[in-house]
Amino acid sequence: MNKEYISGTFCIDIKCSQHSALEGLTGSDYMQKKNLHCKDCFAWRFFIWTKNNKWRIVQAQQEISNKQLAAMIKGIDPVRVEDLTEDEILCL
């Protein structure tokens, strides 16, 4: 799922004290002022770097065991095959 940047998202999340200068701006006005106003902010620089290099920030899922993953790949309830190894599950 691709989400567009929402003005002030990160600033609001970290309670940036400098964000007040950008409040009320939207669209290209916001981005122009943000690029000038936040040019030394490492978080903003990282965001711009990821955008310019066509990288995406994704939300990681919680870790699951290899056995659970094997069962999910095969479409099997992990509880039903808890006494099998990953190889045995994948052979089903």
Side-chain angles (χ1 to χ4, degrees):
M1 171 167 63
N2 257 347
K3 283 186 168 181
E4 287 296 316
Y5 177 73
I6 298 170
S7 299
T9 300
F10 184 76
C11 300
I12 293 168
D13 289 345
I14 65 166
K15 297 176 179 42
C16 176
S17 60
Q18 298 182 38
H19 180 68
S20 59
L22 303 169
E23 287 180 6
L25 299 175
T26 58
S28 61
D29 293 336
Y30 174 84
M31 293 302 278
Q32 287 175 345
K33 183 136 187 179
K34 178 82 174 165
N35 283 326
L36 285 172
H37 188 71
C38 299
K39 68 181 180 216
D40 295 326
C41 173
F42 287 118
W44 182 248
R45 289 168 57 186
F46 176 71
F47 174 78
I48 295 300
W49 181 87
T50 59
K51 183 178 175 194
N52 291 342
N53 289 285
K54 298 184 181 5
W55 283 50
R56 294 183 315 153
I57 300 172
V58 296
Q59 181 177 354
Q61 295 292 329
Q62 70 183 52
E63 297 218 5
I64 60 172
S65 72
N66 291 343
K67 285 177 72 168
Q68 285 179 305
L69 181 60
M72 289 170 59
I73 289 170
K74 296 300 280 189
I76 303 169
D77 181 9
V79 175
R80 292 183 57 211
V81 291
E82 63 188 4
D83 58 329
L84 300 177
T85 67
E86 294 109 37
D87 289 335
E88 292 170 331
I89 294 169
L90 291 173
C91 289
L92 293 176

